[in-house]
Amino acid sequence: MLPTEEAKPHHHLLGHSEEIKPHKKEHAFHKLVTVFGGLAVFSWRFVKSSIIPPYEIKETFRQAYQVGIRSLPLVSVVSVVIGAVLTMQSTPTMTKFGAGAYVPIMVAVSVMRELAPVLVSVIVGGRVGAGIAAELGSMRASEQIDAMEVAAIDPFRLLVVTRIVACIICLPLLTVYADTLAMIGAFVVNKIESGMSGQLFINTVTDSVTFPDYLPGILKTAFFGYIIGLVGCFMGFNSKGGTEGVGKSATDAVVTCSLLIILSDAVFVKLTILFWG
Amino acid sequence: MAEDKSPQTAESGILLSVNDVSKAFGEHVIFEGLSLEIREHETLAVLGKSGTGKSVLLKLLIGLLTPDKGTILYRGKSMTDMGEKELTKVRKNIGFLFQGAALFDSMTIGQNLETFLLKHEVLSPKERQDKIARALDVVGLPDVIDRLPSELSGGMRKRAGLARSIVVEPELILYDEPTTGLDPITALSIAELINSLQFKLGIASVVVTHDLPTAFAVSDRAVVLNESKKIYDGKIEEMEKSGDPFLVKYLQASIMDKGRKSAYIQELKKLPVSEAI
């Protein structure tokens, strides 16, 4: 066989793969544009529906219970452990530099500025975002959303608006709760390792932690809550392909939520430093 | 809805008319130029292979989907031109039994029925409870009012879904595969129920089904869809006489009495495997 002939299949394969690559890229780009375009339209619809009455107050409270109260056990464990672990990790190094007394301040600032808001949002995003996407996805697959329209119930108002509002309200409250529990965890470790009294711990923290340390952290979680609710509802509401689609929606919701929370956090940190230092 | 009746349609007793409707999802054409009529008090069976758009037709008839071309008239008025309020009024007169019943699984059966009543009628709580009890009685489920959909069997869920459809006293009910997944005895009881709703309450029905015995048991007229077109519209008993090759094959494959079954199997055995499939 001639070398040129031998090369043919190779060329063919190369050519084939070269043909596929742009197609795949195009497909991924198309998907990305579709998702973010869809999120923008969904977002605008949410703004309109949340302003114009009627309001589904009872259902919003029910959803707030699902998002807030049901997330408490997970948030509690994670927060106490974060406060405790951060104290354990930083005490030896800080003591080496003669700054052992500053451990509570360092932990408080780290937790309130960054760790509690982001960790709570990512954890709740995983639990609630996946839950919302799976619930709405299975409602779509079992035609319950269509049945609502037949019954003259606006499914967007009842299912989407209530869940997003519940997330916006609950995330800041969960963050305040997580800040408090993380400091309790930090205090317990500090007490065991350095013997610091409760009064001294509280005085050290309250004297040093200022408004820019805790307020931006709490406020940005309202936006993270909005992302969790929006993405979870969008993925579930637009779920396709029956039960397989439900699983995919839940996974997509968790991945997109986590990504958007981390990316928007970078923007919030920059803005916080810019305005409050 | 007496005010909506145009003289012409009231005279001829046509509830819904589908005029030259086309519908496609992307490049997948569902219908092309489909026309049919649904008259008062009659039961129409819609037959055809899977994927021929029978369920899509039902969703078009109730306004959950809109046609790409053509019009759907409810008592002479175009549904595509109706506003949300007018469409809600029309939907009060058209019940829909979804394939999986589509009961709201976070609510009891009583609450499921009440949700439909609340949105469509202004009634006192006592009147609502009476109507709910009556609807559940009609479908033979007087004791399930406080039970959740997950606590019911498939057949009971279908009946409860039917109770939810009739609680607002519609003049037409659309059935999407009412007997699919049910044992023959339960399927027969659902067929009897469809008949009794027509005889006792004068409710017209459109029954989408693969189950030919059910179609024969309940309907006066049949429409058969194949490859985006209507290939038969006439009396159900006269389908065999149409001579359409698809229809003949469809009937042969569906009605499996002993003699026909063995003849059909013999015919299949003669074919090469790929053709038989």
Side-chain angles (χ1 to χ4, degrees):
Chain A
M1 203 178 273
L2 290 166
T4 47
E5 280 172 337
E6 268 180 352
K8 265 183 188 171
H10 178 71
H11 269 300
H12 172 72
L13 278 175
L14 194 67
H16 186 63
S17 66
E18 276 172 354
E19 268 167 30
I20 279 178
K21 269 182 186 169
H23 175 71
K24 272 188 178 171
K25 269 184 195 167
E26 202 176 283
H27 180 71
F29 179 72
H30 182 255
K31 202 181 161 192
L32 201 71
V33 170
T34 310
V35 169
F36 283 97
L39 277 172
V41 173
F42 213 69
S43 207
W44 173 239
R45 207 174 153 194
F46 162 73
V47 172
K48 273 199 303 184
S49 300
S50 57
I51 293 169
I52 303 163
Y55 308 114
E56 302 281 353
I57 309 280
K58 202 176 153 192
E59 182 62 15
T60 307
F61 274 106
R62 203 177 76 83
Q63 290 307 324
Y65 175 82
Q66 296 289 335
V67 175
I69 307 290
R70 290 257 171 121
S71 297
L72 282 180
L74 187 64
V75 170
S76 305
V77 174
V78 171
S79 309
V80 172
V81 172
I82 286 297
V85 166
L86 202 59
T87 308
M88 280 190 260
Q89 289 274 26
S90 51
T91 303
T93 319
M94 297 279 277
T95 312
K96 204 190 284 179
F97 290 104
Y102 294 101
V103 170
I105 303 165
M106 200 279 298
V107 173
V109 171
S110 311
V111 164
M112 290 178 189
R113 275 196 175 218
E114 199 54 37
L115 282 174
V118 173
L119 272 175
V120 164
S121 301
V122 170
I123 289 165
V124 175
R127 198 190 84 81
V128 175
I132 291 174
E135 190 185 3
L136 298 196
S138 62
M139 285 183 86
R140 171 69 73 198
S142 61
E143 296 181 306
Q144 288 179 54
I145 293 177
D146 286 340
M148 282 184 180
E149 284 190 44
V150 171
I153 301 167
D154 182 349
F156 193 88
R157 204 174 275 281
L158 185 73
L159 302 174
V160 176
V161 174
T162 53
R163 281 165 175 78
I164 298 178
V165 170
C167 288
I168 292 173
I169 294 168
C170 289
L171 260 287
L173 296 176
L174 283 171
T175 307
V176 172
Y177 175 75
D179 284 345
T180 313
L181 281 193
M183 292 321 296
I184 291 172
F187 165 70
V188 171
V189 173
N190 228 298
K191 178 81 181 164
I192 295 165
E193 294 199 347
S194 322
M196 188 183 266
S197 74
Q199 192 58 51
L200 181 62
F201 184 88
I202 291 169
N203 286 345
T204 314
V205 172
T206 48
D207 286 350
S208 313
V209 173
T210 54
F211 162 81
D213 292 323
Y214 62 85
L215 202 68
I218 294 166
L219 289 181
K220 70 182 173 186
T221 56
F223 183 75
F224 296 160
Y226 172 70
I227 289 176
I228 294 167
L230 184 81
V231 173
C233 289
F234 175 77
M235 295 298 177
F237 213 70
N238 295 302
S239 172
K240 280 175 195 157
T243 44
E244 198 189 333
V246 174
K248 197 179 167 303
S249 303
T251 313
D252 287 350
V254 176
V255 173
T256 315
C257 272
S258 310
L259 198 69
L260 288 179
I261 287 169
I262 301 290
L263 289 176
S264 56
D265 183 55
V267 178
F268 275 112
V269 168
K270 189 70 199 162
L271 287 175
T272 309
I273 293 167
L274 214 64
F275 288 112
W276 285 299
Chain B
M1 296 296 289
E3 68 276 11
D4 289 338
K5 289 182 187 180
S6 70
Q8 189 203 345
T9 50
E11 235 173 69
S12 52
I14 294 167
L15 279 177
L16 275 168
S17 70
V18 176
N19 303 310
D20 198 24
V21 161
S22 298
K23 181 76 188 168
F25 293 112
E27 286 175 11
H28 181 54
V29 178
I30 309 289
F31 308 122
E32 254 181 326
L34 179 73
S35 296
L36 59 95
E37 284 168 349
I38 297 140
R39 301 180 194 110
E40 284 176 341
H41 314 301
E42 78 163 351
T43 302
L44 169 73
V46 180
L47 306 167
K49 283 198 299 183
S50 300
T52 45
K54 303 186 294 297
S55 299
V56 172
L57 174 65
L58 290 190
K59 288 184 179 173
L60 284 166
L61 292 180
I62 202 160
L64 287 174
L65 294 173
T66 46
D68 299 336
K69 207 187 112 211
T71 53
I72 296 172
L73 308 179
Y74 175 78
R75 289 201 177 277
K77 278 189 126 180
S78 171
M79 288 177 74
T80 31
D81 298 336
M82 287 178 187
E84 201 54 43
K85 276 189 180 172
E86 212 173 349
L87 202 58
T88 302
K89 275 187 188 174
V90 170
R91 281 176 181 162
K92 183 201 171 291
N93 291 334
I94 306 176
F96 198 123
L97 178 62
F98 289 89
Q99 200 169 341
L103 294 163
F104 306 135
D105 31 48
S106 59
M107 299 178 187
T108 64
I109 300 301
Q111 288 167 339
N112 261 281
L113 270 69
E114 197 174 18
T115 308
F116 270 54
L117 272 179
L118 281 170
K119 290 286 173 182
H120 287 300
E121 288 183 35
V122 182
L123 297 168
S124 70
K126 170 82 177 71
E127 285 171 318
R128 276 203 302 274
Q129 288 312 310
D130 286 349
K131 275 203 163 195
I132 290 167
R134 219 177 310 140
L136 287 171
D137 220 31
V138 168
V139 299
L141 293 174
D143 306 321
V144 301
I145 195 159
D146 294 321
R147 286 166 73 177
L148 288 167
S150 58
E151 295 167 352
L152 304 183
S153 68
M156 286 165 95
R157 272 205 293 273
K158 285 260 165 91
R159 284 166 175 270
L162 193 50
R164 192 177 64 177
S165 305
I166 62 171
V167 76
V168 287
E169 296 168 11
E171 53 184 355
L172 167 70
I173 298 181
L174 310 175
Y175 297 88
D176 192 1
E177 305 277 8
T179 54
T180 300
L182 301 178
D183 65 87
I185 295 170
T186 314
L188 187 67
S189 72
I190 296 282
E192 281 171 359
L193 205 54
I194 296 171
N195 277 337
S196 76
L197 288 174
Q198 192 204 5
F199 297 139
K200 288 181 191 167
L201 308 173
I203 298 173
S205 307
V206 177
V207 183
V208 158
T209 186
H210 287 292
D211 181 8
L212 218 52
T214 301
F216 273 98
V218 299
S219 37
D220 317 301
R221 199 157 64 90
V223 162
V224 184
L225 304 174
N226 186 38
E227 289 174 0
S228 326
K229 295 262 188 299
K230 179 177 80 174
I231 57 163
Y232 181 82
D233 186 349
K235 284 189 174 176
I236 194 158
E237 311 85 50
E238 291 174 6
M239 274 198 302
E240 253 179 318
K241 294 176 193 167
S242 84
D244 182 278
F246 169 80
L247 200 50
V248 172
K249 204 173 176 185
Y250 185 80
L251 289 170
Q252 275 180 351
S254 303
I255 305 169
M256 289 295 184
D257 61 54
K258 214 175 171 184
R260 271 181 169 162
K261 191 174 179 179
S262 67
Y264 187 65
I265 289 169
Q266 288 305 317
E267 206 175 302
L268 279 180
K269 278 181 181 170
K270 288 178 203 162
L271 293 171
V273 178
S274 59
E275 251 183 85
I277 292 165

